Amino acid sequence: MAFLADRLAAVKPSPTLVITARAGALKREGHDVIALSAGEPDFDTPAHIGAAGKAAIDAGKTRYTAPDGIVELKEAIARKFKRENDLEYGLNQIIVGTGGKQVLFNALLATLNPGDEVLIPAPYWVSYPDIVELCGAKPVILPCPAEQGFKLTAAALNAAIKPKTKWLIFNSPSNPTGAGYSAAELKLLTDVLLAHPHVWILTDDMYEHIAFPGFEFVTPAQVEPRLIDRTLTLNGVSKAYAMTGWRIGYAGGPKALIDAMRMVQGQSTTNPSSISQWAAVAALDGPQDYIAESCAAFLRRRNLVVAALNAIKGIDCPLPEGAFYVYPSIAGLIGKRTPAGVEIATDEDFVRELLEATGVAVVHGAAFGLSPHFRVSYAAADEVLADACARIAKFCKDLA
Ligand SMILES: Cc1ncc(COP(=O)(O)O)c(C=O)c1O
């Protein structure tokens, strides 16, 4: 009898965490490493948010909370949904979890049966298919190549919907491409979904606030309010307020779904950290200057990285609408060899050889379901990014 559960067979360790760990190991060995593989802002959590966490400790707010979160945070989330997304969620339609990842996990564990299908546009955030697999259901990957702006078309969505389709996972701006759907583009998808009442929408709005000029963030239930009864609107404070380590995510959705998710959470982590929840209240209700400041820095860095990568022969880097990633194609480099004679046959070969030769850690496109690409997380200082791009340029120039 095998010791490990069968359900683990289809699950892989998160490739972004694996590469980040490899970069960390090389660094400890003394190599000059630039890790652009992790998906987190490089800024510190704003001081007033940290202070709220410290104040919560000092005030003894250090006990278990309700599994779905403290009322004060759920009220702040309801205000946020109203203020920023024009969505009305009652407190019994909101749940707080230990990061958006746990909220996503709770939603899928609470709803998926064996044989259920979940539509996932690719490139996708690495965790979506694996969480679906862990829940015993089937991820159905919908390729969205660069020629389509990495976006799902209405025709492709319509063709993919089957009687067993339970969810569409939607993510804009996207990790890993930074592609963001305009209201008009999203409306084409919500029109398709309106015609298929058995399909639910899990919209991952984690990068809502990292949106660049010319792109205006919208969320599905805002664009098509008739979908509100089958939409789970997922968000969190990790990316918006540089709070990845605090582990607070949240969602608004129909009460019956939120009830089921609360039950799952009550039997796993009980509740997200009380201290982090109070810090998240300060994030959502407090001054919002950090968002504009960080966005300005990300915009500058996006422009720097896109220009530097597009100057490299063999690399083609689309301009993202949001988030802090670029997802360039390396189609022009496939088949070339490193000076040591190693063939770059795949994007995985590319990122491995790049890391070993230059110390720059990026993530291969195959991990996100669309090759041959690689993802750069440009949440790093300008001079670090310039150095990384110069190293990538040299590496590519040396390929023959
Ligand atoms: C698209 C997307 N969704 C959700 C998450 C989860 O964020 P967290 O669990 O920190 O809230 C991430 C983190 O990388 C992400 O990129």
Side-chain angles (χ1 to χ4, degrees):
M1 186 179 64
F3 179 63
L4 294 181
D6 294 345
R7 76 176 73 86
L8 282 188
V11 180
K12 305 168 291 303
S14 163
T16 49
L17 299 183
V18 170
I19 290 169
T20 304
R22 173 77 186 131
L26 283 173
K27 205 169 195 164
R28 278 190 298 282
E29 285 168 21
H31 296 275
D32 176 15
V33 168
I34 303 179
L36 303 179
S37 47
E40 63 179 345
D42 54 319
F43 303 111
D44 290 333
T45 303
H48 71 280
I49 299 175
K54 289 181 197 158
I57 297 175
D58 292 340
K61 293 171 173 168
T62 51
R63 300 179 188 278
Y64 292 131
T65 73
D68 47 342
I70 56 174
V71 171
E72 290 82 351
L73 179 53
K74 296 209 301 176
E75 286 172 344
I77 292 166
R79 283 191 288 275
K80 178 262 178 255
F81 277 134
K82 179 75 197 137
R83 181 176 71 235
E84 296 179 346
N85 311 116
D86 212 10
L87 297 177
E88 301 267 3
Y89 284 116
L91 295 195
N92 61 6
Q93 295 180 295
I94 290 173
I95 186 164
V96 185
T98 302
K101 198 182 243 178
Q102 191 195 20
V103 178
L104 177 75
F105 195 91
N106 290 344
L108 296 177
L109 200 62
T111 55
L112 291 177
N113 286 315
D116 286 347
E117 296 187 355
V118 177
L119 304 181
I120 304 178
Y124 45 71
W125 179 41
V126 291
S127 293
Y128 298 145
D130 288 281
I131 296 177
V132 170
E133 298 264 15
L134 257 182
C135 294
K138 186 176 160 206
V140 176
I141 307 301
L142 309 180
C144 304
E147 303 80 75
Q148 288 169 211
F150 301 118
K151 292 176 195 170
L152 181 62
T153 63
L157 173 61
N158 198 41
I161 293 175
K162 300 282 179 292
K164 291 205 158 193
T165 307
K166 194 161 249 174
W167 289 100
L168 164 69
I169 299 186
F170 177 78
N171 176 220
S172 164
S174 145
N175 177 4
T177 64
Y181 290 68
S182 68
E185 287 166 338
L186 184 48
K187 185 75 175 60
L188 297 175
L189 300 184
T190 56
D191 282 350
V192 172
L193 293 164
L194 269 184
H196 299 279
H198 68 291
V199 181
W200 285 58
I201 306 99
L202 199 164
T203 178
D204 180 342
D205 298 352
M206 205 54 78
Y207 294 92
E208 162 177 16
H209 287 301
I210 308 170
F212 303 131
F215 168 68
E216 201 165 320
F217 172 84
V218 278
T219 190
Q222 181 184 19
V223 167
E224 181 43 86
R226 285 176 288 176
L227 290 176
I228 189 94
D229 291 338
R230 48 188 169 105
T231 300
L232 186 71
T233 306
L234 172 74
N235 212 317
V237 295
S238 287
K239 320 286 175 170
Y241 302 98
M243 292 178 69
T244 47
W246 295 81
R247 310 306 304 128
I248 294 290
Y250 57 85
K255 179 178 176 303
L257 171 61
I258 298 293
D259 285 348
M261 290 165 63
R262 185 195 308 116
M263 194 166 66
V264 173
Q265 182 151 298
Q267 296 295 11
S268 58
T269 56
T270 301
N271 62 265
S273 151
S274 58
I275 299 154
S276 298
Q277 290 190 63
W278 284 103
V281 172
L284 295 175
D285 278 350
Q288 301 293 305
D289 317 85
Y290 167 82
I291 290 179
E293 286 160 18
S294 62
C295 256
F298 286 134
L299 174 65
R300 197 180 61 241
R301 295 163 176 186
R302 176 199 71 168
N303 293 343
L304 182 163
V305 170
V306 169
L309 292 178
N310 275 330
I312 301 172
K313 198 160 163 263
I315 291 187
D316 184 14
C317 185
L319 187 73
E321 283 101 1
F324 41 71
Y325 308 105
V326 290
Y327 199 66
S329 163
I330 53 156
L333 300 173
I334 295 296
K336 298 199 172 219
R337 288 182 185 273
T338 67
V342 180
E343 189 190 351
I344 306 296
T346 64
D347 49 27
E348 196 161 0
D349 296 337
F350 178 83
V351 303
R352 186 193 58 242
E353 294 304 313
L354 180 73
L355 177 59
E356 300 302 327
T358 70
V360 175
V362 294
V363 185
H364 48 294
F368 307 99
L370 191 79
S371 293
H373 287 263
F374 66 102
R375 186 194 76 173
V376 178
S377 168
Y378 55 83
D382 296 27
E383 54 278 14
V384 173
L385 294 170
D387 184 2
C389 290
R391 295 191 202 187
I392 295 172
K394 162 111 179 45
F395 174 78
C396 294
K397 195 158 167 272
D398 289 346
L399 296 176

